[in-house]
Amino acid sequence: MTGTLTTQTERLTIRPYQLTDFPSWLAQSSVPSSGQPDVTVFTEDWFEAWIAEQQQRAADDLGYCFGVFRTTDGVHLGTITFSTLARKSLAAATIGFSIDASFGYADEAVAAPLQYQRIEVRIPLDDSATVQLVRRLGMQDDGIRSVWFPDNHTWTEQRIFVRLNTEATPTETPPFDWTEVSRFRQEKQYAVAKDVVATYIRQAPDDPFVNYQMAWCHDSLGEESAAVPYYVKAISSGLIPPYLQQAYIGLGSTYRALGRYMEAEQTLTAGLVRFPNHPVLQTFYALTLHNLDRASESTELLIRTLLDTTADRDILTYERALRFYAEHLDDTWDS
């Protein structure tokens, strides 16, 4: 990793900060505990000094700080940092992030730069939302650890999640221009995007990410049957999270749309074995259960997924009752 690294996802640009980012950073940053920067402290001069500090840390290979920006309009969405770096035989790092969840990009932003063999996230015990996020990304619970904060002179317990990137295999994929493909998608030029990705397929026919992108292009054009073999190859060739979860969803939902319900059930089950708490996989699996005339299982799973993911206070008021009835859908009681 270098201090000049820029990562491009389907909707986001993740890169080191520049001085010109100050207005956007100030508008969206959640650094202070109040939720908004104190403009009397966080001035443009402060921001410039902070950037210089981050650049020096990167130059010394002590840590890296990246801003997360929406590609279409440059809006600042949050910050990702890497620290506690280890090199040589084991490439490992601790990742920290502050992403405005209201934009709906948190999963995509956090997953994009996970390039180390071991990534560790430390989460406060009461932060259930972040726990759900890292689980969706395929990170595994590694237990609870006491962490010392020298600034506050306190110990605190945090839950540790790790991702061991053992599935990632070196790829010889050329530096394809995914920014261009993303732009065509945003402009709804799906056929043009497919033509571009087709040239990449010819250059790297076995690359899992290229196959995943081709499957997505076919799906966007309503070419479900054509998408299937690309999804299958992407998964079998070693696609890594978060794209692996998305490929399971894409393939399972495509099988379902084609009326191939047993294959949909098998695919989504395989996805849930790998990522058991992924709400989208759970939802598509529930829809497939409906098509297989397993209505009670389908409804129970939908109710449980809703309760596990909703923030609606009215629904959560009835959580205990809904969880009970989800398990007794066909039961009645004589008062």
Side-chain angles (χ1 to χ4, degrees), residues 88-282:
K88 299 181 179 179
S89 60
L90 174 65
T94 298
I95 184 173
F97 50 88
S98 175
I99 308 293
D100 190 332
S102 64
F103 287 100
Y105 299 125
D107 290 38
E108 184 176 342
V110 175
L114 303 187
Q115 301 176 48
Y116 288 87
Q117 290 172 295
R118 176 186 168 95
I119 291 289
E120 179 175 297
V121 178
R122 304 169 183 173
I123 304 173
L125 297 183
D126 59 352
D127 189 351
S128 59
T130 302
V131 168
Q132 291 178 13
L133 186 155
V134 298
R135 280 177 171 161
R136 289 197 299 270
L137 297 179
M139 301 190 78
Q140 303 298 315
D141 194 333
D142 200 42
I144 295 175
R145 183 185 305 164
S146 294
V147 179
W148 172 255
F149 285 89
D151 292 342
N152 299 327
H153 298 90
T154 59
W155 287 90
T156 184
E157 289 190 334
Q158 295 183 330
R159 185 168 294 281
I160 308 301
F161 281 81
V162 299
R163 175 177 158 193
L164 301 177
N165 203 11
T166 56
E167 297 176 350
T169 55
T171 176
E172 298 300 322
T173 306
F176 296 138
D177 189 355
W178 296 113
T179 304
E180 179 186 44
V181 175
S182 178
R183 177 171 59 83
F184 287 139
R185 288 180 177 178
Q186 291 163 6
E187 296 172 354
K188 301 188 185 303
Q189 298 185 53
Y190 301 129
V192 179
K194 187 179 78 170
D195 290 341
V196 173
V197 177
T199 67
Y200 300 169
I201 282 284
R202 288 192 288 271
Q203 298 175 64
D206 297 321
D207 185 273
F209 187 71
V210 176
N211 277 274
Y212 166 70
Q213 293 290 333
M214 180 55 84
W216 193 99
C217 288
H218 280 298
D219 253 354
S220 300
L221 289 165
E223 301 167 354
E224 284 83 4
S225 294
V228 167
Y230 292 105
Y231 277 130
V232 171
K233 190 160 191 176
I235 293 171
S236 63
S237 298
L239 191 67
I240 63 174
Y243 308 108
L244 180 58
Q245 294 98 307
Q246 295 165 10
Y248 276 122
I249 294 166
L251 180 59
S253 63
T254 297
Y255 277 143
R256 179 179 172 274
L258 293 170
R260 298 163 63 173
Y261 301 133
M262 291 302 298
E263 289 163 293
E265 196 267 345
Q266 292 168 2
T267 299
L268 293 166
T269 297
L272 285 167
V273 168
R274 297 291 309 280
F275 310 103
N277 299 296
H278 198 287
V280 183
L281 278 167
Q282 291 171 333

Side-chain angles (χ1 to χ4, degrees), residues 266-319:
Q266 292 168 2
T267 299
L268 293 166
T269 297
L272 285 167
V273 168
R274 297 291 309 280
F275 310 103
N277 299 296
H278 198 287
V280 183
L281 278 167
Q282 291 171 333
T283 302
F284 275 101
Y285 183 64
L287 294 176
T288 303
L289 291 176
H290 166 79
N291 295 120
L292 291 171
D293 295 323
R294 294 160 62 181
S296 294
E297 294 175 70
S298 172
T299 303
E300 179 183 350
L301 180 54
L302 284 173
I303 292 173
R304 286 196 284 107
T305 302
L306 170 65
L307 293 171
D308 288 341
T309 57
T310 187
D312 188 287
R313 293 183 178 180
D314 290 334
I315 292 177
L316 292 176
T317 299
Y318 297 93
E319 178 178 3

